Amino acid sequence: MRAVRLVQVGKPLEQADIPIPEIGSQDVLIRIAAAGICHSDVHYRAGISKIDDLPLTLGHEIAGRVKEVGSDVTNVSAGDRVCVHYLVHCGSCEFCVRGLEQFCRSGQMIGKHRDGGYAEFIKVPGANAFALPDEVSFEVGAIMMCSSATALHALNKARFKSGESIAIFGFGGLGFSALQLARAFDCGNVYVVEINPAKLAAAGTMGAIAIDARAAEPVEQIKEATGGTGVDVALELIGSAKTMREAVLCLRPLGRAALVGLTAESMSILPYTELINKEVEIIGVSDHLASELPALIEFARTERLRFPPEILRVIDLDAAQINVALDALKHSIDHIRTVIVPPK
Ligand SMILES: [Zn+2]
Ligand SMILES: [Zn+2]
């Protein structure tokens, strides 16, 4: 089969002809119909996030049709449309048995620790295949398995409830989904904090109150807009100590700040006046859980989570096209999502 693989860190991905994987009794073989190109793939190619065993087929946002199932697989059948949960886990360690597979002792990420979706076929455990309703295209089924799933996990971790207000710091891929999902939760006011004018305008069009961080301190703006009290929940999706601190400071008493963005900077908080006194919580968010995916898929089926066709760009399973898409992603400031569609 054709695959596009990372052979050497820092170099363009290469086209390869490799065998179709053979499945074990608990696996399924999926003919890939769509594979999203994610910003983390740019980091893998550049060596910013380390990949240990090369060559490797990248791609962790995957949807397709089941071609073959192992004898022990009962949740899906050959011919089913599916999307793929990218965390492969053992199912039996102390974390897996509690449904917390992102901490699995022997967990592997598809497209990082094992071959991913830039290929015609992929082998995954049956437990990682989730039925994709006919209403959801393969392209949307693929791209929602990463940033949208993590945005949903962030809302769940923040115990976000109907009627609550929320501030979203950063309106990239995560923010684009977080805003729609917050509205699907029947939220109160949504404030989107950004510095990019096009993103601020897009957030406004999608029903949020745009907070231009270049115009004035975002915390002051949010306080003013909420009658001095602040918001119930803040999501930090940027990965900077400055915005993480702002996410905590814009909370009302009992508010929860969920930190999703990655940074190595340290964040300063005054324990008494900024945390204890208000009983606010700072919550770390990492990846997402298989148990959250059925709800996510249902939000997509009912179009509460949407990726309009104009923001989807389709390319071939072709190394040159994929490398160009990865180059473009390095500097992207829009919501365009590139999806690889292999030959049928
Ligand atoms: Zn991703
Ligand atoms: Zn485990």
Side-chain angles (χ1 to χ4, degrees):
M1 68 170 181
R2 188 194 300 180
V4 173
R5 316 188 86 197
L6 180 63
V7 177
Q8 207 181 334
V9 165
K11 293 276 160 57
L13 305 187
E14 295 178 22
Q15 198 114 326
D17 194 12
I18 58 173
I20 293 175
E22 280 184 33
I23 61 168
S25 64
Q26 299 186 352
D27 297 324
V28 298
L29 181 70
I30 298 168
R31 178 187 277 277
I32 294 169
I37 295 186
C38 178
H39 209 269
S40 352
D41 298 328
V42 179
H43 290 173
Y44 300 146
R45 189 183 62 167
I48 296 168
S49 310
K50 282 268 173 306
I51 289 192
D52 295 330
D53 289 315
L54 294 176
L56 183 92
T57 307
L58 297 185
H60 54 269
E61 305 179 359
I62 301 159
R65 206 177 274 281
V66 176
K67 169 91 173 143
E68 198 184 328
V69 300
S71 52
D72 296 338
V73 173
T74 53
N75 60 318
V76 290
S77 313
D80 284 358
R81 302 173 83 249
V82 293
C83 47
V84 174
H85 178 37
Y86 65 54
L87 294 176
V88 174
H89 54 287
C90 76
S92 57
C93 72
E94 57 173 307
F95 295 110
C96 283
V97 295
R98 290 159 62 202
L100 302 171
E101 74 272 8
Q102 83 265 55
F103 308 119
C104 175
R105 299 250 179 237
S106 53
Q108 287 189 319
M109 178 164 170
I110 291 172
K112 182 180 184 188
H113 304 117
R114 52 190 282 155
D115 279 335
Y118 295 5
E120 290 179 273
F121 293 92
I122 189 169
K123 169 180 85 166
V124 301
N128 285 67
F130 285 76
L132 185 67
D134 289 338
E135 294 93 327
V136 185
S137 70
F138 284 121
E139 288 85 351
V140 170
I143 61 176
M144 72 181 185
M145 300 312 284
C146 181
S147 55
S148 308
T150 301
L152 178 60
H153 185 55
L155 291 169
N156 287 337
K157 289 292 293 181
R159 308 188 304 281
F160 187 62
K161 295 186 293 290
S162 123
E164 289 192 319
S165 56
I166 183 167
I168 297 172
F169 288 78
F171 200 59
L174 281 158
F176 185 80
S177 291
L179 168 55
Q180 296 185 61
L181 293 169
R183 301 189 77 196
F185 277 59
D186 204 11
C187 60
N189 283 339
V190 186
Y191 303 88
V192 168
V193 182
E194 252 297 341
I195 54 172
N196 180 284
K199 289 185 179 176
L200 284 164
T205 310
M206 292 168 66
I209 298 160
I211 301 285
D212 184 348
R214 296 163 309 169
E217 279 296 316
V219 175
E220 294 312 314
Q221 294 188 62
I222 291 169
K223 284 281 166 78
E224 197 175 310
T226 53
T229 55
V231 289
D232 296 296
V233 165
L235 302 186
E236 203 281 347
L237 310 174
I238 296 166
S240 107
K242 180 175 181 291
T243 42
M244 287 179 178
R245 180 172 158 75
E246 289 168 353
V248 178
L249 297 189
C250 75
L251 297 174
R252 62 187 296 160
L254 299 177
R256 289 89 66 201
L259 309 186
V260 186
L262 304 179
T263 178
E265 303 165 355
S266 57
M267 171 177 71
S268 74
I269 288 289
L270 295 172
Y272 177 61
T273 52
E274 294 173 352
L275 199 72
I276 297 168
N277 200 22
K278 293 158 69 184
E279 290 200 347
V280 300
E281 296 172 55
I282 302 174
I283 300 166
V285 178
S286 178
D287 278 323
H288 50 266
L289 300 168
S291 58
E292 294 169 313
L293 294 176
L296 183 74
I297 292 166
E298 181 61 13
F299 285 140
R301 190 188 69 77
T302 52
E303 296 202 324
R304 285 173 286 177
L305 176 66
R306 287 185 69 236
F307 293 89
E310 59 270 22
I311 70 163
L312 294 180
R313 182 186 298 137
V314 170
I315 62 171
D316 298 330
L317 179 58
D318 171 82
Q321 290 183 42
I322 293 170
N323 283 309
V324 167
L326 288 166
D327 292 341
L329 208 50
K330 261 196 282 194
H331 316 287
S332 83
I333 50 158
D334 54 28
H335 291 118
I336 302 286
R337 291 302 318 267
T338 304
V339 184
I340 302 164
V341 173
K344 298 241 161 42

